Amino acid sequence: MGTLPDSDTTARASRAPWLTLRRREAIEGWLFVSPTLIGFLIFFLGPLIAVVFYSLSEWNLLSQKTTYVGLANYADALTENPDFWHVIRNSVFFAAGLVPMNMALALALAISLSRPGKGVVFFRTVFFAPVITSAVAWAIVWKFLLQGEAGAVNQMLAQVGIDGPNWLREPNWAMVAVIVTRVIKMVGLNMILYIAALQAIPRDYEQAARLEGASGWQIFRMVTWPLLAPTTLIIMVITTIGSFKVFDHIYLMTGGGPENGTLVLAYYIYEQAFEFFNIGYASALAMIMFVIVLSLTIVQLLLRQKGSA
Amino acid sequence: MTKLRTLSTAGAMIALLSGPLAAQELRFTVWTGNDAHLAMLNGIADSFTATHPGVTVKYETIPAGDYVQKLTFQLAGGNPPDLGWMFENSIPTFIAAGAVRDLAPTLTSTEGYDVADFSEPAMGLWTQGDSIYGVPFSTSPFMIYFNKDMFDAAGLEDPLTLAAKGEWDMEKFREVAKALSEANDAYGFEFKDGQGYDSRIMHAIMPPIRAYGGFAWQDGECGFNKPEAVAALTMLHEMVFADGSIVPPGEQGDYFSGGSAMTINQISRASKMPEAGFNWGIAPLPTGPAGAAPIIGQAGLAVFSESKNPELAAEFIAHMTNAENVAVMAQFFPPARKSVLDSEAFINANALIPAEQMANVSAAIEEGRVLPSHERSPQIDAAMKPRFDAFWRADADVAASLDAVCEAIKGEL
């Protein structure tokens, strides 16, 4: 004859608390991340999925007519619309001009201002101030400074015998002007990142290199620069992404002109969506921009992995 | 039996409450935030409520720069206003998309509402056949504003005097603009609000083109490269780059702060003149080989197809644009009703502009035509803009540039 289980033991087993420590921690964890997660789902993932669907349709916002067109919007942009490739060229030119200039300037400023010294805090503030300045005010002020003959920039150039161009009315110069003013506005952010990275490098490495007889340039090239590589990668990725998404400067300073010389992808998307109300086509362009930025980021990460291997 | 009586009484009360006494609100979008404008509009709404108990009108201000975008998103997003102001360059697009309702049935059946009292050219943009898709509430002609002090300093007769003598034509305009820029530390002429090379291209080029007998486009044909338009724009190009008498691209020469001796604008800008600090006046646009060609700018009222109260909204437009209320609005917005235009009250309505100058305004409204418009205006503007950028270069080949403009927009016409 077998032994019957103790009734107390059975009751305890069946009444084991559902809210175990593990579960409680899991619930707490989900509760902590839920505000961000909900925001991510509603304001990022949801619209992203919606844009994919919109890009497969021809949707005129005003007439409320929607027709499924498959990949026609993508085909139109990539193979039929000459404006698209002009816009891509402009965007690449903008990024190719802005990213190296921004990074080189940020690094130079960071090296100059990374060590304690007289006036360092003041100059850091001066170079960082444009980052927190209103983009609208910044663009409007520069628009005045960059006027033709009467502009302050050309007046200063005239003092040294240079006849400056009509900056915002000549296509090539307009692009240069927009790039440079954007660099001045944003360089402070990258400067701060580089300063933080430089200050994190132990001074011992530099001192050891000096004892070995290394020059300043050799120390920078063989010690500092390699140790800055992770920060450089991050800066390159965020600056490249930012340069492909630039809109406010273009909108406020040139409106994509003159002669479409500064018509970049983000502004072109805005024009299609909010001036022509072609939501389907604009969504396809937005997806193309997403793929371009994603691809550039992946390529940069792969190059970094290859470099550190 | 008692139960039945109770039920029927309750039913009658519900019917009463949900019937004519039920509150209805009309949402009305405007682009003005001016207190005086809104006070006047609220006064008109109150007089409508007096004859339509339970109906209220709520004005919602959307800044002009974002107006069309935000309105479109409200319409598309299931939050449509009932009625609103419409820009002249937007209405063809809205009509083509079926986004505004035909007001003709309401206007023609409203007692005492005389549709024929509206100037025919002023209604051109808002009607298609027998349908009326909007009623203009502001029909404001473009006039030449001149700085009398600068004319005196240059020893020149002002445009008002020249116009009275029949000598105010395009050649004279060019001549005085050059003389003014030489005699004063200022440009001779500034395009409307200094935006003639950007958002106001049509305001800059259409007055001379029409004075020379040209056109922008008609019946699907581009007119910018026709001989009349080429002659007009050649003159304008020379004034900018050869004479140096018009504020050039990329420069500032604000008329209202003394940067230019003349500009082109509507009478609403007269409100800026008391603080300008110089003597001034307004004159008609200069005539050309094709005679006088006054140009008017318009804004109208329309009921949106998505409106939840379309009949009531149309009735409110009929009320707002009856002769009595048009006369009230004329203090701010020049009317298109001939009976109001011809009245002494209108001629004397503007405290800043003398009656004889207002008579020119009145004449320009009756004879003026709106700027060219098209259901694909946004696309045409975007296609034209880069070609006109190339035109506004000192070394541009004018005729070739205008061919390029036509080539760029022909697909949109």
Side-chain angles (χ1 to χ4, degrees):
Chain A
M1 199 173 161
T3 314
L4 284 171
D6 177 0
S7 62
D8 274 1
T9 314
T10 314
R12 239 181 284 131
S14 62
R15 273 192 264 115
W18 178 82
L19 196 61
T20 59
L21 181 64
R22 192 182 170 83
R23 277 191 174 139
R24 215 177 79 179
E25 283 179 352
I27 289 170
E28 281 172 2
W30 279 108
L31 283 174
F32 274 117
V33 298
S34 60
T36 304
L37 190 66
I38 291 167
F40 172 80
L41 292 173
I42 295 175
F43 298 112
F44 181 77
L45 199 60
L48 190 65
I49 293 167
V51 164
V52 175
F53 281 105
Y54 294 158
S55 74
L56 303 175
S57 67
E58 192 178 298
W59 176 20
N60 184 305
L61 204 58
L62 201 55
S63 64
Q64 292 289 300
K65 285 177 190 154
T66 310
T67 318
Y68 175 76
V69 294
L71 297 172
N73 285 326
Y74 293 92
D76 187 21
L78 297 169
T79 62
E80 289 173 34
N81 191 340
D83 283 349
F84 174 77
W85 290 108
H86 177 77
V87 164
I88 292 292
R89 268 197 304 278
N90 281 347
S91 295
V92 170
F93 187 86
F94 183 86
L98 183 133
V99 176
M101 195 189 298
N102 188 324
M103 291 180 66
L105 191 59
L107 183 58
L109 290 171
I111 290 169
S112 311
L113 302 172
S114 61
R115 291 186 184 167
K118 212 172 179 184
V120 162
V121 174
F122 170 76
F123 282 108
R124 279 184 198 166
T125 310
V126 166
F127 289 114
F128 190 73
V131 177
I132 53 167
T133 304
S134 150
V136 177
W138 183 261
I140 289 171
V141 168
W142 274 105
K143 209 171 165 179
F144 274 95
L145 297 176
L146 292 168
Q147 283 181 65
E149 286 177 24
V153 171
N154 279 349
Q155 296 273 341
M156 284 191 334
L157 290 174
Q159 296 293 317
V160 291
I162 299 172
D163 186 15
N166 196 341
W167 295 97
L168 299 177
R169 295 299 307 186
E170 294 178 27
N172 293 336
W173 285 116
M175 182 59 103
V176 171
V178 173
I179 290 172
V180 172
T181 53
R182 177 82 177 177
V183 167
I184 300 171
K185 168 109 176 62
M186 301 307 292
V187 73
L189 190 63
N190 290 346
M191 175 193 76
I192 293 293
L193 294 174
Y194 266 133
I195 286 175
L198 283 166
Q199 289 176 340
I201 297 174
R203 299 295 297 273
D204 303 356
Y205 295 172
E206 186 190 330
Q207 284 163 359
R210 276 198 197 287
L211 284 173
E212 296 291 334
S215 66
W217 169 245
Q218 283 172 323
I219 293 170
F220 174 76
R221 198 165 61 87
M222 310 300 284
V223 178
T224 313
W225 179 245
L227 290 170
L228 286 176
T231 306
T232 302
L233 177 74
I234 293 294
I235 288 177
M236 193 189 288
V237 169
I238 58 175
T239 311
T240 306
I241 292 173
S243 68
F244 269 89
K245 286 163 55 181
V246 66
F247 171 78
D248 48 2
H249 266 65
I250 302 292
Y251 178 77
L252 292 161
M253 288 183 74
T254 63
E259 299 174 48
N260 286 345
T262 58
L263 187 62
V264 294
L265 193 50
Y267 188 84
Y268 186 56
I269 292 171
Y270 160 82
E271 199 176 52
Q272 291 293 330
F274 302 118
E275 289 188 6
F276 305 161
F277 302 120
N278 292 329
I279 299 296
Y281 186 62
S283 299
L285 293 171
M287 286 307 299
I288 291 170
M289 184 162 104
F290 178 71
V291 170
I292 290 172
V293 172
L294 188 67
S295 308
L296 284 171
T297 310
I298 291 171
V299 167
Q300 285 170 346
L301 289 169
L302 289 176
L303 284 174
R304 166 69 190 142
Q305 277 179 356
K306 202 176 164 189
S308 60
Chain B
M1 191 66 188
T2 316
K3 246 183 194 173
L4 194 65
R5 202 179 300 139
T6 311
L7 274 174
S8 61
T9 310
M13 284 181 72
I14 290 167
L16 266 173
L17 288 171
S18 60
L21 290 179
Q24 275 181 293
E25 184 181 76
L26 289 175
R27 280 184 57 213
F28 189 140
T29 51
V30 297
W31 55 76
T32 182
N34 181 297
D35 289 340
H37 290 175
L38 292 173
M40 178 194 72
L41 294 173
N42 279 319
I44 293 172
D46 291 344
S47 61
F48 186 69
T49 304
T51 54
H52 294 73
V55 177
T56 54
V57 181
K58 184 184 168 197
Y59 296 101
E60 294 181 2
T61 299
I62 303 174
D66 303 329
Y67 188 80
V68 177
Q69 283 170 22
K70 288 191 174 165
L71 177 63
T72 304
F73 278 94
Q74 286 192 15
L75 296 173
N79 180 31
D82 294 294
L83 69 167
W85 286 4
M86 289 299 298
F87 290 112
E88 60 186 343
N89 58 351
S90 304
I91 191 69
T93 312
F94 275 65
I95 294 173
V100 287
R101 285 176 65 95
D102 181 9
L103 303 172
T106 305
L107 299 183
T108 51
S109 63
T110 300
E111 201 182 327
Y113 192 95
D114 183 9
V115 178
D117 188 32
F118 283 88
S119 142
E120 205 177 314
M123 288 298 286
L125 197 58
W126 311 88
T127 53
Q128 275 187 4
D130 292 333
S131 299
I132 303 172
Y133 292 101
V135 181
F137 70 90
S138 177
T139 301
S140 189
F142 288 92
M143 309 295 290
I144 295 288
Y145 278 70
F146 61 89
N147 182 324
K148 183 82 171 68
D149 294 346
M150 287 193 186
F151 272 83
D152 290 346
L156 296 166
E157 287 184 300
D158 66 50
L160 209 54
T161 312
L162 291 166
K165 290 162 69 178
E167 295 175 12
W168 183 232
D169 58 17
M170 294 305 293
E171 279 182 29
K172 196 72 177 175
F173 167 68
R174 179 175 181 176
E175 185 188 315
V176 299
K178 191 163 187 283
L180 284 162
S181 60
E182 286 165 357
N184 298 285
D185 183 22
Y187 290 100
F189 180 75
E190 184 201 25
F191 289 130
K192 180 174 161 57
D193 299 325
Q195 296 167 346
Y197 306 105
D198 300 307
S199 56
R200 305 279 191 180
I201 292 174
M202 297 302 269
H203 295 84
I205 62 175
M206 286 316 293
I209 287 179
R210 284 194 179 155
Y212 272 77
F215 61 93
W217 56 77
Q218 60 188 27
D219 305 325
E221 186 187 18
C222 176
F224 288 121
N225 58 355
K226 298 280 181 277
E228 297 83 2
V230 173
L233 294 182
T234 300
M235 186 208 74
L236 215 55
H237 194 272
E238 287 173 357
M239 286 181 73
V240 175
F241 296 107
D243 300 353
S245 59
I246 297 182
V247 182
E251 302 286 355
Q252 305 285 326
D254 181 39
Y255 164 82
F256 298 97
S257 51
S260 297
M262 294 185 286
T263 191
I264 180 171
N265 225 313
Q266 289 159 299
I267 62 166
S268 56
R269 284 293 188 283
S271 61
K272 291 180 79 171
M273 295 314 301
E275 60 203 54
F278 54 79
N279 292 307
W280 61 281
I282 58 171
L285 301 185
T287 59
I295 289 178
I296 47 178
Q298 281 196 313
L301 304 164
V303 172
F304 303 112
S305 301
E306 301 289 319
S307 163
K308 294 184 179 77
N309 308 292
E311 298 301 331
L312 194 61
E315 281 178 40
F316 184 64
I317 287 187
H319 174 75
M320 186 171 241
T321 57
N322 65 25
E324 185 189 342
N325 285 325
V326 165
V328 170
M329 289 197 289
Q331 61 182 302
F332 297 117
F333 307 119
R337 272 192 181 274
K338 288 180 280 189
S339 59
V340 181
L341 272 177
D342 295 339
S343 67
E344 281 294 312
F346 175 66
I347 299 292
N348 294 304
N350 198 308
L352 295 168
I353 303 175
E356 71 270 18
Q357 294 180 32
M358 279 301 286
N360 288 330
V361 173
S362 185
I365 293 173
E366 287 200 53
E367 296 160 21
R369 283 192 295 150
V370 291
L371 287 166
S373 203
H374 196 282
E375 64 181 82
R376 290 184 65 78
S377 280
Q379 286 85 349
I380 292 172
D381 289 348
M384 264 188 345
K385 173 75 174 51
R387 275 67 193 187
F388 270 111
D389 287 341
F391 168 83
W392 287 121
R393 282 168 166 263
D395 58 355
D397 177 335
V398 170
S401 302
L402 295 174
D403 281 339
V405 172
C406 283
E407 185 62 27
I409 65 171
K410 69 179 184 188
E412 305 292 348
L413 298 176

